[in-house]
C-alpha cells in the first residue's frame, strides 16, 4: 500500500492525517482517507519551538492515535511555519539551444534549479519553490512548458525560506518521535 502521512505542528494542536495513494493511469494520485490523530500542542510559543521534548511528546500522541486508526507511519510530510518563514521572488532563464526544439521535463528541472540560486542570509535555507509563470521565447504566462517548442526558457518563482535551525529542530522532534 502506498501511504501518505502529513503532520501539522500548530500552536494549539498537533495533527496527523494518513491517506492511501490510489489509482493508476487517469485515476493516479487519488487519496483515500485512512485515519487521523490529534493532540494538544506542547512546547511551542508564538510559532517557535521552545521545548523539544514536549513537541516530541505531542507528535507521539497524535501519531499514536492515527496509527491505531490506520496502521503504522514510517515517514511524514511536515508543514513548517512560524515567524522565521519568509517569501522572496526570483527569476532565472536558460538558453536551451540556438534553434527552437521541444522542451523536456529535464529542461524545466534545470531552470527550476537555476532559480534556486539566490543569495540567502546566513542560517537560512530554501523550504519550497513555486513557479508562478514560465516564459518561453518571450511568450509569458506559460504554466506547463514541457512538450512546447522554444530555445529560451525562463521562470518567475516564489521562494519560501526559513531559518535552518528552526527546520532542523522540527526534524529532530519528528525523528525523536520515531518517524
Amino acid at each position: 500500500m502506498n501511504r501518505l502521512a502529513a503532520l501539522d505542528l500548530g500552536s494549539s494542536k498537533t495533527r496527523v492525517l494518513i491517506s492511501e495513494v490510489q489509482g493508476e493511469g487517469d485515476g493516479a494520485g487519488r487519496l483515500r482517507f485512512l485515519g487521523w490523530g490529534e493532540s494538544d500542542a506542547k512546547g511551542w510559543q508564538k510559532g517557535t519551538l521552545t521545548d523539544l521534548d514536549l513537541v516530541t511528546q505531542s507528535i507521539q500522541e497524535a501519531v499514536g492515535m492515527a496509527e491505531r486508526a490506520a496502521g503504522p507511519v514510517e515517514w511524514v510530510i511536515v508543514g513548517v511555519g512560524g515567524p522565521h518563514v519568509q517569501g522572496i521572488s526570483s527569476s532565472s532563464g536558460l538558453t536551451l539551444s540556438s534553434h527552437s526544439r521541444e522542451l523536456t521535463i529535464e529542461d524545466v528541472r534545470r531552470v527550476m534549479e537555476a532559480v534556486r540560486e539566490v543569495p540567502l542570509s546566513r542560517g537560512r535555507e530554501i523550504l519550497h519553490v513555486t513557479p508562478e509563470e514560465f516564459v518561453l521565447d518571450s511568450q509569458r504566462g506559460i504554466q506547463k512548458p514541457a512538450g512546447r517548442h522554444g530555445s529560451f526558457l525562463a521562470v518567475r518563482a516564489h521562494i519560501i525560506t526559513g531559518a535552518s535551525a528552526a527546520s532542523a529542530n522540527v526534524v529532530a522532534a519528528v525523528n525523536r518521535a520515531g518517524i
Side-chain angles (χ1 to χ4, degrees):
M1 178 169 25
N2 191 7
R3 297 158 55 99
L4 174 66
L7 174 63
D8 177 36
L9 301 171
S11 56
S12 64
K13 296 288 182 186
T14 298
R15 293 184 174 101
V16 178
L17 178 70
I18 304 173
S19 296
E20 176 185 20
V21 181
Q22 295 184 316
E24 293 186 23
D26 290 340
R30 289 198 174 138
L31 296 177
R32 183 172 72 94
F33 172 78
L34 297 176
W36 66 280
E38 177 181 86
S39 66
D40 289 333
K42 301 174 205 124
W44 293 95
Q45 187 173 13
K46 296 183 181 177
T48 300
L49 192 152
T50 57
D51 188 319
L52 193 59
D53 292 332
L54 289 177
V55 172
T56 299
Q57 180 184 348
S58 293
I59 294 168
Q60 288 171 328
E61 290 171 9
V63 169
M65 180 186 224
E67 287 181 328
R68 284 188 291 281
V73 170
E74 294 180 21
W75 59 273
V76 294
I77 296 173
V78 182
V80 176
H84 68 95
V85 176
Q86 299 174 344
I88 57 175
S89 293
S90 181
S91 60
S92 184
L94 297 172
T95 299
L96 304 171
S97 67
S98 58
H99 59 283
S100 183
R101 66 168 176 78
E102 184 175 336
L103 275 67
T104 65
I105 291 174
E106 177 63 20
D107 295 323
V108 176
R109 188 198 63 73
R110 284 179 42 223
V111 78
M112 289 301 296
E113 284 298 317
V115 80
R116 295 174 69 92
E117 298 299 321
V118 294
L120 297 176
S121 302
R122 181 186 205 90
R124 296 201 63 77
E125 65 182 346
I126 293 176
L127 300 175
H128 186 69
V129 178
T130 302
E132 293 176 340
E133 78 168 337
F134 291 94
V135 179
L136 181 58
D137 293 343
S138 302
Q139 227 180 353
R140 302 184 69 84
I142 295 171
Q143 297 300 311
K144 296 179 180 179
R148 298 179 62 127
H149 285 75
S151 60
F152 179 80
L153 179 63
V155 64
R156 188 171 52 85
H158 189 71
I159 299 175
I160 306 297
T161 68
S164 302
S167 297
N169 287 328
V170 167
V171 170
V174 172
N175 287 339
R176 282 184 178 194
I179 302 171

